[in-house]
Amino acid sequence: MSVKQLSLFDQQPEDLNKFFARKRPWSAAKHRIMLKYIQAHCYNLGGSKSYQSMYINYVDGFAGAGKYDEGIGIENFVDQSKFWQRYNTELLDTDGSPLIALKCAKIFGLEERVTLRCFLLRKIKTLTKNLRVIVI
């Protein structure tokens, strides 16, 4: 599998629908950080001990379409992580924040350790419809 580096200095698309055509490097970095934090929070704060909770809430106040046409940064990260290698994550370079959170919720739900509840807020209704199609 070849890794494609996207330019940091390319122009932002004026059309919002084209924003999700390519994942930018800063988004890829954010997605790797998300995976680290979601994993750490679900394993440290989630559970049945007195200081843990069976429910952890993930709130994305600016949830996007959930998927990019062209992406970078997730598959190699997951392949190199001892934690994520244990699971059939199906995490892809093209996944956006909402889809990453939902896939993590599925993993932790199957494990029955914690329920990761995802609250995805959007201003643009077409993005909501697109995400429903991806998740279903």
Side-chain angles (χ1 to χ4, degrees), residues 6-130:
L6 302 177
S7 172
L8 182 61
F9 300 104
D10 59 348
Q11 293 291 325
Q12 292 292 337
E14 291 181 24
D15 181 1
L16 183 60
N17 292 324
K18 293 182 181 177
F19 179 83
F20 293 100
R22 292 179 38 185
K23 185 186 287 191
R24 306 309 190 275
W26 52 84
S27 294
K30 177 184 84 169
H31 297 152
R32 290 189 297 269
I33 292 167
M34 270 183 65
L35 284 170
K36 287 183 179 183
Y37 274 91
I38 288 174
Q39 179 249 321
H41 279 80
C42 285
Y43 267 77
N44 292 319
L45 301 176
S48 58
K49 296 180 182 170
S50 62
Y51 59 90
Q52 294 176 319
S53 174
M54 291 303 297
Y55 300 96
I56 299 212
N57 296 329
Y58 170 86
V59 180
D60 187 341
F62 302 95
K67 196 156 192 72
Y68 293 86
D69 295 333
E70 184 180 341
I72 56 172
I74 296 294
E75 292 174 22
N76 283 342
F77 174 79
V78 169
D79 290 344
Q80 295 173 4
S81 167
K82 290 180 183 177
F83 175 82
W84 293 109
Q85 285 176 358
R86 297 186 299 179
Y87 302 97
N88 181 15
T89 62
E90 299 179 12
L91 291 164
L92 304 172
D93 285 341
T94 54
D95 291 346
S97 301
L99 198 51
I100 291 169
L102 291 168
K103 287 181 177 183
C104 288
K106 181 179 177 183
I107 290 167
F108 293 120
L110 292 172
E111 197 175 64
E112 297 181 357
R113 178 185 181 89
V114 65
T115 299
L116 179 62
R117 298 184 292 197
C118 299
F119 299 93
L120 308 171
L121 310 174
R122 293 174 194 74
K123 186 175 182 178
I124 303 169
K125 291 183 181 183
T126 57
L127 295 178
T128 304
K129 291 177 186 175
N130 291 343

